[in-house]
Amino acid sequence: MQKYLFAVVLLLSANLFAQDVMEKPTPLPGMRGVPSNIPDISVIGNFYGKVSEDKTDTERNRLTTKEVELALQGYIYPEMKESVVIAAHKHGEDVVFEICEGYVSFLKVIDNLSCSVGKIHVDFGKINKVHQHHRSYVDQPQVITNFFGDHGLVGEGANLSYLMPLPFFFQIDISAWRIPAHSHEAEESSVANLTDAEGNTIDKILVPGECENEFGLADEVYTTRYWFSFPSTEKSEIEFGLSGAKGRGSHYEHHKDKAEVFGADLTYKLWLTSYERIIFQNELLYLMREVPVGTLKRYGWYSFLNYRFNKYWDWGFRYD
Amino acid sequence: MKKIFIYVICEIASLTLAMTFLCNLCSAKGRINVVTSTEDLADLIKVVGGEKVNVVSLSKGSQDPHYVEPRPSMVILLKKADMVVRIGMDLDIWVDSLIAASRNSRIIYGAVGYVDTSVGLERLEIPTGKIDGSMGDIHIYGNPHYWLDPENAKVITKNVLNGLAKLSRGAPTYFENNRTEYLKKLEAKINALQEKLKPYKGTKIVTYHNSWPYFAKRFGLGIVGFVEPKPGIPPNPSHIAALIEKMKKEKVKIIVVEPYFSQKAPKTIASETGTKIVILLPSVDEKKGIKTFIDLFEYNINKLIDALKLQSAN
């Protein structure tokens, strides 16, 4: 009996000692689901308070839970990663649950080429892809809301991303998406009879009115992005991007509109010390919207300056 | 507008093709391209790899290795790499997204060119039980600042040697000889530094962040507390007050701070306790003249001894 007890104690000690030695490389995030192979799980809440003199503002002088996101990420095969983000958003007083993103990434299809398939925040410009809680400001730049809607440009489809074999960073993204159109009843007052080029009479909303704020791209949407980056000094980097998107308007059934959006972005980042950092980011979007009565042209931009002054805090301002 | 856009795209495409051609013509052959997460690892690879490797570090010694912001230019360095060498244990977790963005299958996790230098390491401070955010930025695989014990260069260089031997296709003798020679030199230096610090063995210190347990163990120092109440959490008044009491009771003489941390709280503590703040370097930093792994320990031990001498004189 004593012999067995001794053997058990010896085994336990050996086991404890073995734990102190790193026996294999540190598993990557997404590879830590031991023992049951579960993905990495995180929850992020986005809360904001608003102080306002505007008595019509329903969020005036209130603390609001804007959204809560549950993210599940993990590897499902070598060089193949899945990511699912389920969000509860607050729209007015209602809470809406949705799959914010859900996609599989093939990290290397062929040399330099990766691919993502699923529902994805489209890589258009600098800020559209970034989830709200990762941004340095509580709201979305006005131009993104006006051109792509409240949640930005989000599509179900596929994205091919190619890193050019160059001595500097140059990445090309080409994507095809299916985005559901918005559906709502048109108000009588904003509907008019029009005659098209072939002499047919059709009902159209001439001036979209309240729908204007809900504009976005829908149906079959094609996007592309060209992204360059150069280290300007050892402590700074310049990023420049060109983006394009083509599709129908999100209220196509009423407006019969087709739209193209072009974007250019320029970002300068300067790391002063280990924590101090300055970001100067600018994005310009140009919209060409073909409606039956002609082509509407709009542009919008924002400029953002941010200074992180220590490990924990930063401040800045944005002009839309 | 549309025509201009298409024109710009065509220009970019033709420029890219031309640049690709030029790059392929100019690329140097023969050497193993190694990218490391820190400058300490870069120096150890230089000594093992010698003239057969090109080494570049993604972070600089002046940076906090926990918080390096990935940049697109780093993707390009990794794209060209035959081998990536990292600290692991979640210290340089920022490397993961860069490896994925590089689409370089030679250096992905599990590939021949992926080297985690913590393999085979005897780790300290492995948390047990439930781990959550209430414990601060805790590392679940143990304290990752293991390179601050110079003896761990043996484990680090062994991992590097294994990686280089695989990449050099069965010609590891050159690397083995370099490593053996270097470890002899390092051993002699460690012994000399330990001897130098012998009169101060058992000295109690406080450190800002919990970066120094391996260093303290090797050189016989006792860490009695931290300026941070928990790893990665900024100091607060109640913690500082408690720490001051503890330091007075334990007769602590030194507060060790890394150069990138704020000295505001350490200065308050130092003025209340009469201790001295010593800025020790956690990494090789060429800009500060600390060019090698050996220089790093020589510098830190000398700084520590100078401070302790000054304290003894007072």
Side-chain angles (χ1 to χ4, degrees):
Chain A
M1 183 64 191
Q2 272 180 335
K3 274 182 190 174
Y4 288 122
L5 197 64
F6 178 72
V8 168
V9 170
L10 201 68
L11 275 171
L12 278 173
S13 330
N15 222 5
L16 285 172
F17 182 73
Q19 283 177 349
D20 289 346
V21 178
M22 200 72 181
E23 288 171 344
K24 57 182 183 178
T26 313
L28 304 184
M31 286 184 170
R32 303 198 168 171
V34 286
S36 52
N37 205 20
I38 53 169
D40 290 348
I41 301 167
S42 64
V43 179
I44 297 171
N46 191 7
F47 310 91
Y48 75 108
K50 190 173 182 181
V51 180
S52 169
E53 289 182 343
D54 180 3
K55 289 182 180 174
T56 61
D57 188 345
T58 53
E59 290 176 349
R60 177 176 175 260
N61 301 342
R62 277 176 62 182
L63 186 69
T64 309
T65 305
K66 200 168 184 182
E67 64 174 7
V68 176
E69 280 192 2
L70 171 71
L72 309 162
Q73 289 166 317
Y75 280 83
I76 46 181
Y77 200 72
E79 297 187 57
M80 192 176 166
K81 207 173 175 183
E82 55 83 21
S83 184
V84 177
V85 181
I86 299 161
H89 297 286
K90 202 158 187 183
H91 287 281
E93 292 303 312
D94 300 324
V95 176
V96 179
F97 286 88
E98 67 165 339
I99 297 171
C100 207
E101 282 192 296
Y103 60 90
V104 175
S105 298
F106 302 87
L107 301 179
K108 189 185 171 188
V109 182
I110 54 166
D111 213 18
N112 290 358
L113 183 74
S114 63
C115 172
S116 300
V117 181
K119 186 176 182 185
I120 306 172
H121 279 244
V122 177
D123 215 342
F124 187 104
K126 279 300 286 181
I127 213 70
N128 184 69
K129 196 165 178 62
V130 182
H131 285 224
Q132 184 57 57
H133 51 257
H134 285 305
R135 295 174 182 162
S136 300
Y137 27 85
V138 294
D139 61 343
Q140 183 166 258
Q142 205 62 46
V143 63
I144 303 289
T145 308
N146 289 349
F147 288 7
F148 298 135
D150 283 341
H151 295 298
L153 189 59
V154 185
E156 286 169 301
N159 172 61
L160 289 172
S161 184
Y162 186 69
L163 182 65
M164 299 298 285
L166 292 170
F168 58 89
F169 183 88
F170 178 17
Q171 183 173 294
I172 297 176
D173 285 80
I174 298 169
S175 324
W177 311 101
R178 172 72 71 168
I179 303 174
H182 293 179
S183 59
H184 67 99
E185 294 302 317
E187 288 176 20
E188 285 295 322
S189 58
S190 59
V191 178
N193 292 327
L194 279 178
T195 306
D196 68 9
E198 291 161 2
N200 303 315
T201 304
I202 44 175
D203 289 343
K204 294 288 173 297
I205 297 174
L206 282 174
V207 181
E210 66 174 7
C211 310
E212 189 69 23
N213 292 331
E214 294 174 27
F215 179 77
L217 295 176
D219 209 0
E220 283 176 15
V221 176
Y222 301 95
T223 62
T224 185
R225 174 162 166 75
Y226 303 85
W227 179 19
F228 312 80
S229 182
F230 309 88
S232 43
T233 65
E234 196 181 76
K235 289 186 167 183
S236 63
E237 200 134 328
I238 293 172
E239 294 176 36
F240 175 59
L242 291 171
S243 308
K246 186 176 182 168
R248 288 176 169 178
S250 54
H251 297 281
Y252 181 78
E253 57 180 302
H254 297 300
H255 307 311
K256 301 292 180 208
D257 55 342
K258 289 177 184 172
E260 288 177 354
V261 185
F262 301 101
D265 56 85
L266 181 69
T267 304
Y268 176 72
K269 286 185 184 178
L270 172 66
W271 291 269
L272 298 164
T273 63
S274 194
Y275 304 122
E276 278 183 294
R277 184 202 60 197
I278 292 170
I279 296 178
F280 182 47
Q281 187 170 294
N282 306 276
E283 214 170 321
L284 170 73
L285 271 72
Y286 182 76
L287 166 72
M288 287 201 297
R289 187 177 170 197
E290 281 178 42
V291 290
V293 290
T295 304
L296 298 170
K297 292 176 182 174
R298 299 277 188 275
Y299 74 92
W301 59 279
Y302 73 85
S303 191
F304 172 61
L305 185 65
N306 177 262
Y307 173 52
R308 184 174 67 197
F309 55 95
N310 66 25
K311 189 174 161 185
Y312 308 98
W313 294 95
D314 62 271
W315 63 265
F317 67 88
R318 195 186 79 221
Y319 181 79
D320 287 24
Chain B
M1 182 72 187
K2 197 174 169 183
K3 279 181 185 170
I4 294 169
F5 193 75
I6 291 166
Y7 175 77
V8 169
I9 303 305
C10 291
E11 281 294 311
I12 290 163
S14 53
L15 183 71
T16 304
L17 284 172
M19 290 292 283
T20 308
F21 180 70
L22 281 173
C23 285
N24 288 338
L25 276 181
C26 301
S27 63
K29 299 276 178 191
R31 287 188 172 195
I32 298 170
N33 289 319
V34 184
V35 175
T36 65
S37 58
T38 67
E39 286 202 82
D40 310 284
L41 295 179
D43 179 62
L44 291 173
I45 288 155
K46 276 178 204 162
V47 296
V48 177
E51 61 193 19
K52 293 185 186 297
V53 296
N54 288 324
V55 190
V56 61
S57 168
L58 293 174
S59 69
K60 297 291 165 207
S62 57
Q63 287 179 286
D64 180 348
H66 301 77
Y67 295 95
V68 176
E69 199 172 322
R71 308 180 194 181
S73 57
M74 293 175 179
V75 174
I76 297 304
L77 293 174
L78 286 165
K79 175 73 224 159
K80 292 185 280 189
D82 301 304
M83 189 164 121
V84 64
V85 183
R86 66 187 304 183
I87 295 288
M89 295 172 73
D90 284 358
L91 182 98
D92 45 11
I93 207 160
W94 45 271
V95 176
D96 298 327
S97 62
L98 291 166
I99 293 174
S102 76
R103 300 149 177 95
N104 182 350
S105 52
R106 296 189 300 273
I107 58 163
I108 59 165
Y109 184 87
V112 173
Y114 182 93
V115 176
D116 179 337
T117 55
S118 68
V119 176
L121 175 83
E122 277 198 39
R123 298 173 287 168
L124 297 179
E125 300 175 359
I126 306 161
T128 51
K130 190 178 182 295
I131 300 158
D132 61 29
S134 68
M135 300 159 86
D137 290 342
I138 201 145
H139 294 276
I140 60 172
Y141 295 100
N143 193 306
H145 304 87
Y146 60 85
W147 74 94
L148 287 168
D149 175 356
E151 278 281 334
N152 282 336
K154 287 178 185 170
V155 178
I156 296 170
T157 53
K158 191 182 175 203
N159 285 304
V160 169
L161 177 68
N162 290 342
L164 290 175
K166 283 175 197 166
L167 285 169
S168 65
R169 293 185 183 173
T173 324
Y174 173 78
F175 303 125
E176 273 173 8
N177 292 343
N178 284 349
R179 177 176 179 255
T180 310
E181 205 174 299
Y182 177 74
L183 289 180
K184 270 185 206 162
K185 195 175 151 192
L186 182 68
E187 189 72 44
K189 180 55 74 177
I190 295 170
N191 290 339
L193 292 174
Q194 278 179 323
E195 196 61 34
K196 217 171 171 182
L197 206 61
K198 214 171 187 177
Y200 305 101
K201 200 171 181 183
T203 298
K204 289 174 179 173
I205 62 168
V206 158
T207 68
Y208 192 100
H209 180 70
N210 189 10
S211 310
W212 304 91
Y214 294 91
F215 179 86
K217 194 180 171 195
R218 177 60 50 203
F219 293 105
L221 304 168
I223 299 173
V224 300
F226 308 100
V227 176
E228 289 178 338
K230 284 170 183 173
I233 307 300
N236 56 58
S238 62
H239 174 72
I240 289 173
L243 186 64
I244 288 169
E245 282 305 305
K246 192 176 183 183
M247 286 171 70
K248 282 178 180 169
K249 202 173 156 190
E250 301 262 3
K251 297 191 173 68
V252 174
K253 293 178 176 178
I254 298 286
I255 305 172
V256 171
V257 183
E258 287 93 324
Y260 39 77
F261 287 130
S262 162
Q263 285 189 38
K264 200 177 162 189
K267 275 180 181 167
T268 307
I269 298 166
S271 68
E272 289 288 323
T273 55
T275 47
K276 186 157 176 57
I277 298 169
V278 184
I279 311 287
L280 295 190
L281 302 181
S283 279
V284 169
D285 189 349
E286 283 206 25
K287 287 203 168 162
K288 289 202 167 107
I290 312 301
K291 292 179 180 171
T292 69
F293 193 65
I294 289 176
D295 287 350
L296 176 68
F297 291 97
E298 200 155 22
Y299 174 87
N300 282 340
I301 296 295
N302 286 338
K303 284 280 278 186
L304 212 50
I305 289 171
D306 288 348
L308 286 166
K309 275 181 185 166
L310 209 66
Q311 283 292 80
S312 304
N314 292 336

